[in-house]
Amino acid sequence: MLVGSCLLFTKCAFSSFCRRSFSMAAEASSSSPAVVSSSPMDEELTLTVKWSGKEYTVRVCGDDTVGELKRRICEVTNVLPKRQKLLYPKIGAKLADDSVLISQLPLKSSLKMTMIGTVEDDIFVDQVDSSEIVDDFELGQDEAVDIKDKEINKQKLRRRIDQYKIKLRNPCREGKKLLVLDIDYTLFDHRSPAENPLELMRPYLHEFLLAAYAEYDIIIWSATSMKWVELKMGQLGVLNHPNYKITALLDHMAMITVQSDTRGIFDCKPLGLIWSQFPEFYNSKNTIMFDDLRRNFVMNPQNGLIIKPFRKAHSNRDTDQELRKLTQYLLAIADLDDLSILDHKNWESYNEDNFKRRRHA
């Protein structure tokens, strides 16, 4: 049985002042440094979380959300945020709302928090087999720019860069551009039933990766856990292919949570995480990212290409040509100095224009 956990806060210590007379206060003001108060939004809290008989320490700031707290807990317990249930007296439903800020919660060190959840190794089905939201949305231009430029989101990105270290499976190659790929509905139909995962693999996957590898380093970034990233890519033969190499794998822990005025709270994939850790190889000018959800690009919209979702594999695998066409696009733009100036929404038109020019020549 999972047990409850206690929560312990340690806040920044401030100098305490005794009441003094007017004359003593005046004297003190000339000899003592001024005391600067801290905003609840900036305050960093160290939390001790007890789960499954053990205690774990995590840190959050006042401007973090409950969703971010769950992400931090996941880092030390391996219980995915979606599988966590946090219980805390007198707060109730607020802990079920991932958008609530930590600074908005009346947390007290004298009370106890309980985290209930199960790690993936104890679950015998893929985590994505549970219900999920697969609808996508497009933010207005002004709102997308606002999210990308908000200081709070830049701070979250900086914290994620400090916390999440990318492990290279193969060395970065000098002079190569970077292709970042989603998995679910991009390379793989994770919803349709099948006896063999190869039945759900998107057509031309290996041909696509082999052709792309000639010009691009390849990083795979999924919103699932690393366990399932490695499992899926291993089953599809991507991780041990003899003719191309995957540079790195990223999971949901590399994502950050942002908030929009019209769409609320959602996670996204900030490419700045990769650029900051490998600045000598990758940047905004040489990176392109494929995903079936455009909201994942909100921190770097100029680098994202929306790929047509691959669903109902059994009925669509004989007609799906998406990766074949995108191979042509990747190779056609590989010689450009700056990929970020392209409007990737029009990638199909770019292919057609290039075809017409080659045919005319």
Side-chain angles (χ1 to χ4, degrees):
M1 177 184 297
L2 296 172
V3 298
S5 63
C6 64
L7 179 65
L8 175 63
F9 285 93
T10 60
K11 301 185 178 181
C12 299
F14 291 93
S15 299
S16 61
F17 293 90
C18 298
R19 294 185 178 274
R20 300 175 183 269
S21 64
F22 176 81
S23 60
M24 293 181 66
E27 181 182 353
S29 65
S30 64
S31 59
S32 301
V35 177
V36 180
S37 61
S38 174
S39 167
M41 297 292 286
D42 299 330
E43 187 176 23
E44 183 176 77
L45 308 176
T46 299
L47 317 181
T48 299
V49 179
K50 187 176 180 181
W51 168 78
S52 192
K54 297 181 180 179
E55 292 188 350
Y56 304 89
T57 299
V58 297
R59 292 182 179 179
V60 291
C61 294
D63 61 3
D64 285 329
T65 62
V66 171
E68 182 66 21
L69 170 59
K70 291 179 179 179
R71 192 189 300 273
R72 302 290 178 85
I73 294 174
C74 176
E75 291 175 354
V76 295
T77 65
N78 290 324
V79 178
L80 293 180
K82 64 188 294 182
R83 301 210 187 278
Q84 294 179 26
K85 184 175 182 181
L86 303 180
L87 304 177
Y88 198 90
K90 300 181 181 179
I91 295 181
K94 286 188 176 181
L95 284 173
D97 185 350
D98 287 351
S99 66
V100 172
L101 295 176
I102 299 299
S103 61
Q104 297 174 335
L105 298 176
L107 298 171
K108 295 181 179 180
S109 59
S110 59
L111 301 179
K112 294 183 178 181
M113 177 177 284
T114 300
M115 193 277 280
I116 299 175
T118 306
V119 296
E120 296 303 284
D121 288 342
D122 295 334
I123 298 174
F124 298 100
V125 296
D126 189 336
Q127 62 173 330
V128 296
D129 285 344
S130 59
S131 60
E132 65 171 12
I133 299 174
V134 296
D135 64 309
D136 195 19
F137 54 78
E138 184 168 9
L139 298 169
Q141 181 66 25
D142 292 342
E143 188 171 12
V145 171
D146 181 57
I147 290 174
K148 178 174 66 74
D149 293 339
K150 271 187 176 179
E151 182 58 31
I152 186 175
N153 294 331
K154 292 180 180 179
Q155 290 176 359
K156 288 182 178 181
L157 174 56
R158 288 193 289 268
R159 289 200 292 267
R160 186 65 71 246
I161 291 170
D162 291 338
Q163 298 161 357
Y164 192 99
K165 299 305 177 183
I166 299 173
K167 298 179 180 179
L168 292 179
R169 298 180 65 90
N170 292 284
C172 305
R173 297 176 296 163
E174 187 174 357
K176 299 299 182 183
K177 290 181 168 58
L178 175 63
L179 172 63
V180 181
L181 297 171
D182 178 45
I183 296 180
D184 294 332
Y185 295 137
T186 297
L187 307 181
F188 179 83
D189 173 14
H190 73 296
R191 281 289 178 175
S192 297
E195 294 183 2
N196 190 323
L198 295 176
E199 298 176 20
L200 305 180
M201 181 176 70
R202 193 160 202 162
Y204 306 104
L205 174 60
H206 292 296
E207 295 87 342
F208 164 76
L209 293 175
L210 177 59
Y213 183 69
E215 303 291 343
Y216 299 80
D217 282 347
I218 302 169
I219 289 180
I220 294 175
W221 192 344
S222 175
T224 57
S225 70
M226 186 60 71
K227 170 188 174 180
W228 295 109
V229 176
E230 294 175 339
L231 178 63
K232 289 175 184 175
M233 293 298 94
Q235 289 176 334
L236 297 183
V238 170
L239 299 184
N240 58 358
H241 198 279
N243 297 322
Y244 63 79
K245 304 296 181 183
I246 302 302
T247 302
L249 302 176
L250 278 68
D251 64 357
H252 72 108
M253 298 303 299
M255 301 173 72
I256 65 171
T257 302
V258 299
Q259 182 171 8
S260 75
D261 294 335
T262 60
R263 300 293 182 174
I265 299 288
F266 59 93
D267 286 346
C268 68
K269 301 174 180 178
L271 290 172
L273 174 71
I274 302 174
W275 299 335
S276 68
Q277 296 193 29
F278 308 103
E280 67 274 31
F281 294 101
Y282 313 128
N283 54 65
S284 63
K285 292 184 178 181
N286 69 2
T287 302
I288 185 170
M289 182 177 184
F290 291 179
D291 203 300
D292 66 301
L293 297 177
R294 59 174 54 87
R295 59 176 174 260
N296 283 329
F297 306 142
V298 72
M299 290 295 287
N300 31 258
Q302 74 280 7
N303 299 99
L305 185 151
I306 303 299
I307 191 171
K308 179 181 178 182
F310 179 58
R311 298 189 178 102
K312 300 180 180 179
H314 300 300
S315 58
N316 291 327
R317 62 187 173 191
D318 292 334
T319 58
D320 188 280
Q321 299 283 319
E322 193 82 348
L323 292 183
R324 189 165 175 264
K325 295 177 181 178
L326 282 167
T327 300
Q328 299 173 6
Y329 181 65
L330 284 177
L331 298 181
I333 66 176
D335 291 333
L336 298 180
D337 293 331
D338 188 355
L339 302 186
S340 66
I341 64 174
L342 297 172
D343 185 354
H344 295 306
K345 292 180 182 178
N346 298 324
W347 70 269
E348 292 182 280
S349 298
Y350 191 95
N351 274 2
E352 293 173 1
D353 291 343
N354 277 340
F355 175 77
K356 290 177 182 178
R357 284 196 293 269
R358 290 196 300 269
R359 184 177 181 182
H360 179 73

